[in-house]
Amino acid sequence: MFGKKFGDVKFDLVLYLPPTKSGDLVKNFAMKFASVISVPISHALKKVRVTQEQKIFQNSYSKRENVLGAFDIEDGIIKGKTILLIDDIYDSGATLKEVGNLLTRKGATYIVPIVIAKTVGGTL
């Protein structure tokens, strides 16, 4: 499916979201995925403050507040680049939106988010 949808896109870099609880699951998946599609991976996206698991929050406002300002990446790493952004679970999209906004502010040209799983209540 990925190849059908994004086969013509020239990705410059794979990034993954640092986990709250899942350990190296996303990192390992992202490393394997980057290897399969022959795109360099960066471990530069960092969590700069502690967050709670998104699943404990009842509404999108609380989920957005939980991740607001929680991530950072060094200036210049993604400027002008097409990024493949990998996360473990999609629920409300708050985390992907927050990191997407950060990457846009830092100069990313194009961001494609993909997730390993989607919660039953989540919307795409």
Side-chain angles (χ1 to χ4, degrees), residues 55-122:
K55 69 182 179 182
I56 70 168
F57 298 101
Q58 297 289 318
N59 60 59
S60 60
Y61 176 78
S62 297
K63 291 177 185 207
R64 189 172 43 247
E65 286 296 310
N66 182 47
V67 295
L68 187 63
F71 303 93
D72 201 8
I73 192 166
E74 291 177 41
D75 290 338
I77 290 176
I78 58 165
K79 187 172 178 72
K81 293 199 169 37
T82 297
I83 306 294
L84 178 63
L85 178 63
I86 301 177
D87 196 6
D88 56 354
I89 297 173
Y90 182 94
D91 181 47
S92 67
T95 306
L96 286 172
K97 288 174 190 168
E98 176 65 17
V99 173
N101 287 334
L102 168 69
L103 299 179
T104 300
R105 287 192 313 271
K106 296 281 186 162
T109 303
Y110 188 62
I111 305 161
V112 173
I114 65 167
V115 295
I116 298 170
K118 177 182 152 313
T119 60
V120 174

Side-chain angles (χ1 to χ4, degrees), residues 16 19 21-31:
Y16 58 91
K21 192 172 182 178
S22 64
D24 286 338
L25 173 79
V26 180
K27 177 183 176 182
N28 293 338
F29 180 85
M31 289 172 61

Side-chain angles (χ1 to χ4, degrees), residues 46-50 69-73:
K46 302 292 183 193
K47 192 177 269 193
V48 294
R49 68 173 179 77
V50 175
F71 303 93
D72 201 8
I73 192 166

